Amino acid sequence: NVDADWVMCGMWLTVLLLPAETLKSSQPILCYTSSATANAQLNIRGNSGTTLSSLLSVGQSITVAFGCTNGATAKYVTGIQIDGSSSNVLVKWQGGSAPSFGNANSEDWYIARIEKTSTGTTPHSFVVYASQTRFS
């Protein structure tokens, strides 16, 4: 797991790498600088005791960024969760489909704008506008 405890907004970004690995950061933008050894899932949450859903009102949004350094064998983000769940989370990827590969010998940056759209279920409903950009 890679946890970012954002002091200015009190939100955490957890990146689950398989096999599990744990890093922590207090910065609002998180970059994994070692060559990735596994694909990852982003999990955006409030913090260890507070859900993101409880911090945002309907219509509010946040933006998070995750950088992934790739070596010769590229890895990529396979999914996005809010508060540990993908239920009631609609992810819309730039270009119309989720990435199916990473880019070898480069950095891939993932940007996600997360908007709370309703309060009807737990976790509350969110729309995520996500992108993957290659830098080499």
Side-chain angles (χ1 to χ4, degrees):
N1 293 332
V2 181
D3 288 339
D5 183 3
W6 297 333
V7 176
M8 66 185 209
C9 60
M11 296 175 196
W12 286 23
L13 168 64
T14 302
V15 181
L16 177 60
L17 301 173
L18 302 172
E21 188 171 341
T22 302
L23 299 174
K24 292 192 178 210
S25 172
S26 60
Q27 302 301 313
I29 297 173
L30 183 60
C31 182
Y32 189 72
T33 56
S34 299
S35 288
T37 59
N39 292 330
Q41 283 215 15
L42 301 183
N43 177 32
I44 297 89
R45 58 193 177 123
N47 59 38
S48 61
T50 307
T51 64
L52 179 64
S53 187
S54 68
L55 295 174
L56 294 180
S57 298
V58 172
Q60 288 186 316
S61 65
I62 62 164
T63 300
V64 297
F66 171 66
C68 180
T69 301
N70 284 309
T73 304
K75 304 299 180 183
Y76 65 99
V77 169
T78 60
I80 299 176
Q81 298 179 339
I82 305 297
D83 295 329
S85 175
S86 58
S87 297
N88 299 311
V89 177
L90 175 61
V91 181
K92 296 183 176 188
W93 285 95
Q94 180 181 18
S97 59
S100 58
F101 60 89
N103 295 287
N105 299 312
S106 63
E107 280 185 31
D108 289 334
W109 276 88
Y110 298 86
I111 309 298
R113 180 183 169 272
I114 299 134
E115 181 179 346
K116 186 172 179 178
T117 57
S118 73
T119 59
T121 58
T122 302
H124 298 297
S125 294
F126 291 89
V127 174
V128 179
Y129 299 92
S131 65
Q132 176 200 53
T133 304
R134 176 185 182 188
F135 293 89
S136 59

